[in-house]
Amino acid sequence: SSDLALEQAVAGGNQDANVVESLYFAWIHQGEYAKARERFEAWSVANANSGAIHLAAARVNRIQGRFPEALNHLEKILNYADVGVAAQYEKAQILEETGKRADARVLYEKLIQNFTNGVLRTPSSLMFVAGAMRALEYFQDANDVLKLATQADAQNTEAFRSEEHTSELQSRGL
């Protein structure tokens, strides 16, 4: 299966962010949380400088409610070129989920400011900017940024899913 090929690629040293993320989502969508955590934790030790591996490890720990472990992974990669924006967004979400709303707000606002200043422009970065806007209840702005992201990368199904979610929230008046 494709997830076996992805697992073999990552185990063999392929740490491309898209490959690692695809494997992460394949396991999560199949409910393989324990397997994902075990593998990404082991790979994060073996590949201490891999931002993609740390991001995947953080995400699976977050899903399982292991917030300190998730934050530990994220702190290491907040400034990485390939996954730093995603790590900042994930950290903000954890802070929000653990009751540190003011701290989360600071991170969300930083992402939005970096977009406003022209620093964040890639389709994947725009996804996180839109998420930050949504978290701060700037729903129309979030929707506008998602449109930019989907126009820039029409294959980005995550963008479409998020856009649908934002539209659904708006239709409910949330």
Side-chain angles (χ1 to χ4, degrees):
S1 69
S2 65
D3 59 315
L4 180 58
L6 289 168
E7 181 178 2
Q8 290 171 341
V10 174
N14 185 338
Q15 295 164 22
D16 176 80
N18 291 325
V19 173
V20 173
E21 186 174 60
S22 293
L23 178 59
Y24 166 79
F25 281 118
W27 281 340
I28 296 309
H29 291 166
Q30 294 171 31
E32 299 276 358
Y33 304 109
K35 178 180 182 178
R37 191 171 80 74
E38 174 192 319
R39 298 289 202 295
F40 286 120
E41 284 292 342
W43 289 331
S44 73
V45 172
N47 304 284
N49 293 320
S50 172
I53 298 287
H54 280 290
L55 181 60
R59 285 175 168 166
V60 74
N61 275 296
R62 177 179 165 226
I63 286 173
Q64 294 184 318
R66 300 169 188 267
F67 300 119
E69 293 88 341
L71 288 170
N72 184 44
H73 285 287
L74 294 172
E75 289 297 333
K76 295 173 184 176
I77 61 171
L78 290 173
N79 297 313
Y80 276 38
D82 60 343
V83 296
V85 173
Q88 291 167 38
Y89 179 77
E90 294 283 335
K91 180 180 179 183
Q93 293 212 296
I94 290 171
L95 292 172
E96 189 169 1
E97 291 165 3
T98 57
K100 297 176 180 150
R101 179 83 175 134
D103 293 336
R105 183 175 192 86
V106 169
L107 288 175
Y108 289 137
E109 287 174 348
K110 178 183 174 192
L111 288 169
I112 294 168
Q113 190 62 49
N114 284 339
F115 166 73
T116 305
N117 291 343
V119 176
L120 301 179
R121 290 291 179 217
T122 65
S124 60
S125 294
L126 294 179
M127 295 301 308
F128 298 111
V129 170
M133 289 174 168
R134 185 176 62 222
L136 297 181
E137 300 183 1
Y138 303 136
F139 297 116
Q140 187 58 51
D141 293 330
N143 203 35
D144 291 344
V145 171
L146 282 168
K147 286 178 184 173
L148 289 174
T150 56
Q151 288 167 2
D153 183 1
Q155 301 301 312
N156 193 336
T157 57
E158 195 174 281
F160 289 111
R161 272 189 264 131
S162 294
E163 185 172 17
E164 289 170 7
H165 179 72
T166 301
S167 296
E168 180 185 335
L169 289 174
Q170 285 178 319
S171 71
R172 294 184 194 170
L174 301 175

